Coordinates of all heavy atoms in Angstrom, one line a residue:
Q419 N -17.6 49.9 -55.6 CA -17.6 51.1 -56.4 C -16.2 51.8 -56.3 O -15.6 51.8 -55.3 CB -18.7 52.0 -55.9 CG -19.0 53.1 -56.9 CD -20.4 53.7 -56.6 OE1 -20.9 53.5 -55.5 NE2 -20.9 54.5 -57.5
A420 N -15.8 52.3 -57.4 CA -14.6 53.1 -57.5 C -14.6 54.2 -56.4 O -15.7 54.9 -56.2 CB -14.3 53.7 -58.8
G421 N -13.5 54.4 -55.7 CA -13.5 55.4 -54.6 C -13.9 54.8 -53.3 O -13.6 55.4 -52.2
G422 N -14.4 53.6 -53.3 CA -14.8 53.0 -52.0 C -13.6 52.2 -51.5 O -12.5 52.3 -51.9
S423 N -13.9 51.4 -50.5 CA -12.8 50.6 -49.8 C -13.3 49.2 -49.6 O -14.5 48.9 -49.7 CB -12.4 51.2 -48.5 OG -13.5 51.2 -47.6
V424 N -12.3 48.3 -49.4 CA -12.6 46.9 -49.2 C -11.6 46.4 -48.2 O -10.4 46.8 -48.2 CB -12.6 46.1 -50.5 CG1 -11.2 46.0 -51.1 CG2 -13.2 44.7 -50.3
R425 N -12.0 45.4 -47.4 CA -11.1 44.8 -46.5 C -11.2 43.3 -46.8 O -12.2 42.6 -46.6 CB -11.5 45.0 -45.0 CG -10.6 44.5 -44.0 CD -11.2 44.5 -42.6 NE -10.2 44.3 -41.6 CZ -10.5 43.7 -40.4 NH1 -11.7 43.2 -40.2 NH2 -9.6 43.6 -39.5
L426 N -10.1 42.8 -47.2 CA -10.0 41.3 -47.5 C -9.4 40.6 -46.2 O -8.6 41.2 -45.6 CB -9.0 41.1 -48.7 CG -9.4 41.8 -50.0 CD1 -8.4 41.5 -51.0 CD2 -10.8 41.3 -50.5
A427 N -9.9 39.5 -46.0 CA -9.4 38.7 -44.9 C -9.0 37.3 -45.4 O -9.5 36.8 -46.4 CB -10.5 38.5 -43.8
C428 N -8.0 36.8 -44.7 CA -7.5 35.4 -45.0 C -7.4 34.7 -43.7 O -6.7 35.1 -42.8 CB -6.1 35.5 -45.7 SG -5.3 34.0 -45.9
T429 N -8.1 33.6 -43.6 CA -8.1 32.8 -42.4 C -7.3 31.5 -42.6 O -7.5 30.8 -43.6 CB -9.6 32.4 -42.1 OG1 -10.4 33.6 -41.9 CG2 -9.6 31.6 -40.8
A430 N -6.4 31.3 -41.7 CA -5.5 30.1 -41.7 C -5.9 29.1 -40.7 O -6.4 29.4 -39.7 CB -4.1 30.6 -41.5
S431 N -5.6 27.8 -41.1 CA -5.8 26.7 -40.2 C -4.9 25.6 -40.5 O -4.4 25.5 -41.7 CB -7.3 26.2 -40.3 OG -7.6 25.8 -41.6
G432 N -4.7 24.7 -39.6 CA -3.9 23.5 -39.8 C -2.5 23.5 -39.3 O -1.9 22.5 -39.0
R433 N -1.9 24.7 -39.2 CA -0.5 24.8 -38.7 C -0.4 26.0 -37.7 O -1.4 26.8 -37.6 CB 0.5 24.9 -39.8 CG 0.7 23.7 -40.7 CD 1.7 22.7 -40.1 NE 1.8 21.5 -40.8 CZ 2.7 21.3 -41.8 NH1 3.6 22.2 -42.1 NH2 2.8 20.1 -42.4
T434 N 0.7 26.2 -37.1 CA 0.9 27.4 -36.2 C 1.1 28.6 -37.0 O 2.1 28.8 -37.8 CB 2.1 27.1 -35.3 OG1 2.0 25.9 -34.6 CG2 2.3 28.3 -34.4
F435 N 0.1 29.5 -37.0 CA 0.0 30.7 -37.8 C 1.2 31.6 -37.6 O 1.7 32.2 -38.6 CB -1.3 31.4 -37.4 CG -1.6 32.6 -38.3 CD1 -1.7 32.5 -39.7 CD2 -1.7 33.9 -37.7 CE1 -2.0 33.6 -40.5 CE2 -2.0 35.0 -38.5 CZ -2.2 34.8 -39.9
T436 N 1.7 31.6 -36.4 CA 2.8 32.6 -36.1 C 4.2 32.0 -36.6 O 5.2 32.7 -36.4 CB 2.9 32.9 -34.6 OG1 2.9 31.6 -33.9 CG2 1.7 33.7 -34.2
D437 N 4.2 30.9 -37.2 CA 5.4 30.4 -37.9 C 5.6 31.0 -39.3 O 6.6 30.7 -39.9 CB 5.4 28.9 -38.0 CG 5.7 28.2 -36.7 OD1 6.2 28.8 -35.7 OD2 5.3 27.0 -36.6
Y438 N 4.6 31.7 -39.7 CA 4.6 32.1 -41.1 C 4.6 33.6 -41.3 O 3.9 34.4 -40.6 CB 3.4 31.5 -41.8 CG 3.4 30.0 -41.9 CD1 2.9 29.3 -40.8 CD2 3.9 29.4 -43.0 CE1 2.9 27.9 -40.9 CE2 4.0 28.0 -43.0 CZ 3.4 27.3 -42.0 OH 3.5 25.9 -42.0
V439 N 5.4 34.1 -42.3 CA 5.2 35.4 -42.9 C 4.0 35.3 -43.8 O 3.9 34.3 -44.5 CB 6.5 35.8 -43.7 CG1 6.2 37.0 -44.5 CG2 7.6 36.0 -42.7
M440 N 3.2 36.2 -43.7 CA 2.0 36.2 -44.5 C 2.1 37.4 -45.6 O 2.6 38.4 -45.3 CB 0.7 36.4 -43.7 CG 0.5 35.3 -42.7 SD 0.3 33.7 -43.4 CE -1.2 33.9 -44.4
A441 N 1.5 37.1 -46.7 CA 1.6 38.1 -47.8 C 0.3 38.1 -48.6 O -0.5 37.1 -48.6 CB 2.8 37.9 -48.7
W442 N 0.1 39.2 -49.3 CA -0.9 39.3 -50.3 C -0.3 39.5 -51.7 O 0.6 40.3 -51.8 CB -1.9 40.4 -50.0 CG -2.8 40.2 -48.9 CD1 -2.5 40.5 -47.6 CD2 -4.1 39.5 -48.9 NE1 -3.6 40.1 -46.8 CE2 -4.5 39.5 -47.5 CE3 -4.8 39.0 -49.9 CZ2 -5.8 39.0 -47.2 CZ3 -6.0 38.4 -49.5 CH2 -6.5 38.4 -48.2
F443 N -0.8 38.8 -52.7 CA -0.4 39.0 -54.1 C -1.7 39.2 -54.8 O -2.8 38.9 -54.3 CB 0.2 37.7 -54.6 CG 1.6 37.5 -54.1 CD1 1.8 36.9 -52.8 CD2 2.7 37.7 -54.9 CE1 3.1 36.7 -52.3 CE2 4.0 37.5 -54.4 CZ 4.2 37.0 -53.1
R444 N -1.6 39.7 -56.0 CA -2.8 39.9 -56.9 C -2.4 39.6 -58.3 O -1.3 39.8 -58.7 CB -3.3 41.3 -56.7 CG -2.5 42.4 -57.3 CD -3.1 43.8 -57.1 NE -2.3 44.9 -57.6 CZ -2.6 46.2 -57.5 NH1 -3.7 46.5 -57.0 NH2 -1.8 47.1 -58.0
R445 N -3.5 39.3 -59.1 CA -3.3 39.0 -60.5 C -4.5 39.7 -61.2 O -5.7 39.2 -61.0 CB -3.3 37.6 -60.8 CG -3.2 37.3 -62.3 CD -3.0 35.8 -62.6 NE -1.7 35.4 -62.2 CZ -1.3 34.1 -62.2 NH1 -2.1 33.2 -62.5 NH2 -0.1 33.8 -61.8
G446 N -4.2 40.7 -61.9 CA -5.3 41.4 -62.7 C -5.5 40.7 -64.0 O -4.7 39.9 -64.4
P447 N -6.6 41.1 -64.7 CA -6.9 40.5 -66.0 C -5.7 40.6 -67.0 O -5.2 41.7 -67.3 CB -8.1 41.3 -66.5 CG -8.7 41.9 -65.3 CD -7.5 42.1 -64.4
G448 N -5.2 39.5 -67.5 CA -4.1 39.6 -68.5 C -2.7 39.9 -67.9 O -1.8 40.0 -68.6
N449 N -2.7 40.0 -66.6 CA -1.4 40.3 -65.9 C -0.8 39.1 -65.2 O -1.5 38.2 -64.9 CB -1.6 41.5 -64.9 CG -2.1 42.7 -65.6 OD1 -1.8 43.0 -66.8 ND2 -2.8 43.5 -64.9
E450 N 0.5 39.3 -64.9 CA 1.1 38.3 -64.1 C 0.8 38.6 -62.6 O 0.4 39.7 -62.2 CB 2.6 38.3 -64.3 CG 3.0 37.9 -65.7 CD 4.5 37.8 -65.8 OE1 5.2 38.2 -64.9 OE2 5.0 37.4 -66.9
R451 N 1.0 37.5 -61.8 CA 0.8 37.7 -60.3 C 1.8 38.7 -59.8 O 3.0 38.6 -60.2 CB 1.0 36.4 -59.6 CG 0.8 36.5 -58.1 CD 1.1 35.1 -57.5 NE 0.1 34.2 -57.7 CZ 0.2 32.9 -57.6 NH1 1.4 32.3 -57.3 NH2 -0.9 32.1 -57.7
E452 N 1.4 39.6 -59.0 CA 2.4 40.6 -58.4 C 2.2 40.7 -56.9 O 1.1 40.5 -56.4 CB 2.1 42.0 -59.1 CG 0.8 42.6 -58.7 CD 0.7 44.1 -59.2 OE1 1.7 44.8 -59.2 OE2 -0.4 44.5 -59.5
F453 N 3.3 41.0 -56.3 CA 3.4 41.1 -54.9 C 2.7 42.4 -54.5 O 2.9 43.5 -55.1 CB 4.9 41.2 -54.4 CG 5.1 41.6 -53.0 CD1 4.9 40.6 -52.0 CD2 5.4 42.9 -52.7 CE1 5.1 41.0 -50.7 CE2 5.6 43.2 -51.3 CZ 5.5 42.3 -50.3

């Protein structure tokens, strides 16, 4: 609901997690992917 909050999680596996910078991007309807 608008005004609420959400917590997204991303779980990694397969390589050493601390070797990586992690980021979130998003793509809204009809939009390009944005940082």
